[in-house]
Amino acid sequence: MRYLQQLFEVGNQVDSVGNASTGAWVRPLSQSEAFQLNEGFERSFPLRSTRTSFGHVEEPDPSELESGLPDDDERVECDLNELKLGNQTGMWSKERDDIKWAYDNTLKGQEVQIWWPGRTEHGECNDLHVEDRGCWYRAKLLNDPHCTDGQRCIHFAAHDGEPTNTFTCPTWIRDPDGSGCKLPVFNWQACPMRFKMMRVDTGIPQEFKQALTTPCSAVPKPPPEEPEHQFPERDPDTGEPIEKPGAAADEASGEAQKVKPQDDGAGKQEEKDASLAEPPVGHCSGPTNDADEARMIFDVKKNAWYRCSNMMRCEPWDIRKIDDSENAQCGTKKCGPEQQCFVHRISALQSTYQCVKDDEVMMLADGDDVAKLCMPLIWVPPALPSRALRGLHVNFL
């Protein structure tokens, strides 16, 4: 008891010193509040369709904007696990209001800046070199047990509760000091800086899903051709040519006799239903060809690249580096002005290089439209006259 009383007296002395120096006790600003005041953030958080995401509401001058894509030597090593401390998810809800409430009340970790790969009122957030689209948002990395570094997965909560596209990549993160994060050395794959967002309405996510769930079957080899005999087979006793069914009567002719088609009485053969026809070659998971034009697809949630053909024959393709500079040196050759150099990691000491067109660098959307892939059909009851509703109770299961 005496020990507690001494602690209480020491606390009063500290408070008195603070009041004497400032004239009144002032609540210290939390890290997120200090971050807001230093960067000029507003305290209200309107929806993304009515404001720029990072900075002031009015449109900033692009010439005054800070570059969102630092050089590799300007980036810093970010401890992702440390940035997740204090941001336990628990029973996480995907509703906007619930995410906003959790961000303001239960997530106590550090605040970072995230490039959000969605769509704002200023355009698509598909190029980190372009700064005037309002794609940088304040966020907190979540300590999600279903999304760990071992799985190369980074889940975050946005300050305004945005529920779509809530997974990010290491080089799309700025630490609390505003410095860009480096790509972790071990096991992580390079993040694209310029890409095309593939949503459900493009059909690419559906085709890609079918490709990953369908193994490519082996292509059957054609039967060996029967060798052409210069002379027909003869009877060893008589020496006369042996006539076989369909064989030509003339021994000098090695061609089979052509027989006119005959009606077997079965009637006309029915054509196959087009809807039941087998899919074209592709839409499966298997080895791809280096000679084919590559289509690179990035799954941001798994931090995984896949190389696909135009017929969606896909295989995992480990990418350790992407050079999207103009006319980038890609191995022994240079890429074109609208191409990117993808460096494929075979081993720690060996890599391959391939130039890929910008239109073929795709990222799968992880937004609200992804739910359409697995959304069940809902039966809608027919409209009834207002009078018919009186006294009628309808139960929907």
Side-chain angles (χ1 to χ4, degrees):
M1 189 71 182
R2 182 181 178 126
Y3 175 72
L4 295 176
Q5 185 176 3
Q6 291 177 354
L7 289 178
F8 182 76
E9 293 176 356
V10 171
N12 290 336
Q13 293 177 3
V14 172
D15 290 341
S16 62
V17 172
N19 294 336
S21 61
T22 60
W25 183 84
V26 179
R27 180 177 65 86
L29 290 174
S30 64
Q31 188 171 4
S32 61
E33 292 173 333
F35 188 78
Q36 292 178 11
L37 294 180
N38 291 336
E39 298 294 334
F41 296 124
E42 295 194 350
R43 297 195 177 273
S44 60
F45 305 106
L47 297 179
R48 300 189 174 189
S49 59
T50 59
R51 65 184 294 269
T52 54
S53 59
F54 193 73
H56 302 286
V57 175
E58 57 269 16
E59 179 87 23
D61 186 359
S63 62
E64 300 177 357
L65 286 171
E66 181 181 340
S67 174
L69 188 60
D71 297 332
D72 290 340
D73 55 353
E74 298 177 356
R75 294 182 179 271
V76 298
E77 299 284 350
C78 295
D79 189 343
L80 299 178
N81 291 326
E82 181 180 353
L83 295 176
K84 296 177 184 178
L85 290 178
N87 296 330
Q88 282 70 21
T89 56
M91 298 296 293
W92 188 253
S93 172
K94 297 182 180 180
E95 298 295 330
R96 180 185 296 271
D97 294 340
D98 296 336
I99 297 176
K100 180 69 174 68
W101 187 91
Y103 190 95
D104 296 335
N105 296 276
T106 62
L107 302 181
K108 304 299 182 180
Q110 303 181 68
E111 194 171 48
V112 297
Q113 304 171 29
I114 296 289
W115 173 271
W116 182 68
R119 180 190 293 147
T120 67
E121 61 180 357
H122 302 287
E124 287 279 0
C125 297
N126 56 6
D127 191 344
L128 275 78
H129 300 278
V130 180
E131 279 287 304
D132 58 352
R133 296 181 183 175
C135 302
W136 286 101
Y137 284 83
R138 293 183 293 110
K140 295 180 181 180
L141 303 187
L142 297 177
N143 190 6
D144 188 348
H146 303 289
C147 186
T148 62
D149 288 348
Q151 298 171 331
R152 303 199 307 267
C153 175
I154 305 177
H155 192 191
F156 70 90
H159 73 276
D160 58 354
E162 175 62 41
T164 63
N165 297 310
T166 57
F167 294 91
T168 189
C169 217
T171 53
W172 297 352
I173 302 175
R174 292 173 178 169
D175 68 1
D177 297 329
S179 301
C181 294
K182 288 184 178 181
L183 185 72
V185 178
F186 180 71
N187 203 27
W188 285 83
Q189 298 190 26
C191 311
M193 297 297 163
R194 191 170 66 247
F195 53 87
K196 290 183 64 176
M197 178 66 76
M198 294 291 107
R199 296 183 173 85
V200 170
D201 54 1
T202 64
I204 296 296
Q206 297 93 316
E207 296 185 31
F208 181 72
K209 181 180 179 180
Q210 178 185 355
L212 294 188
T213 55
T214 306
C216 294
S217 58
V219 179
K221 296 182 179 180
E225 296 183 359
E226 189 173 338
E228 297 181 359
H229 299 283
Q230 185 177 2
F231 301 101
E233 186 178 356
R234 296 181 180 273
D235 189 343
D237 298 332
T238 62
E240 297 294 332
I242 300 176
E243 295 185 5
K244 296 182 179 180
D250 187 1
E251 64 180 16
S253 174
E255 298 181 359
Q257 293 180 347
K258 296 181 180 180
V259 181
K260 295 182 179 180
Q262 299 179 359
D263 186 5
D264 57 359
K268 186 178 179 180
Q269 184 178 0
E270 296 182 0
E271 297 181 358
K272 294 183 179 180
D273 187 359
S275 61
L276 302 178
E278 297 181 357
V281 178
H283 293 83
C284 60
S285 179
T288 55
N289 191 352
D290 293 339
D292 295 338
E293 184 176 359
R295 171 181 291 178
M296 302 301 300
I297 298 180
F298 184 61
D299 187 343
V300 64
K301 185 175 181 179
K302 298 179 181 179
N303 183 248
W305 280 99
Y306 297 85
R307 187 173 77 165
C308 303
S309 66
N310 291 334
M311 299 301 296
M312 293 303 289
R313 183 184 180 100
C314 303
E315 67 172 322
W317 206 247
D318 190 352
I319 299 298
R320 69 174 183 86
K321 184 179 180 180
I322 304 173
D323 188 353
D324 63 347
S325 60
E326 187 175 358
N327 299 325
Q329 186 68 36
C330 196
T332 59
K333 66 177 183 179
K334 286 188 176 182
C335 296
E338 296 183 355
Q339 292 182 335
Q340 305 179 38
C341 178
F342 280 75
V343 184
H344 169 53
R345 175 169 38 211
I346 298 178
S347 65
L349 302 177
Q350 188 178 8
S351 300
T352 61
Y353 301 80
Q354 187 172 14
C355 295
V356 182
K357 294 181 180 179
D358 286 347
D359 291 340
E360 300 297 336
V361 180
M362 306 176 181
M363 196 190 85
L364 297 180
D366 188 53
D368 52 357
D369 61 346
V370 176
K372 299 177 184 177
L373 288 172
C374 54
M375 182 180 297
L377 296 177
I378 301 177
W379 177 76
V380 179
L384 298 177
S386 59
R387 294 184 179 180
L389 292 176
R390 297 180 181 178
L392 178 62
H393 300 278
V394 182
N395 294 327
F396 300 104
L397 299 178

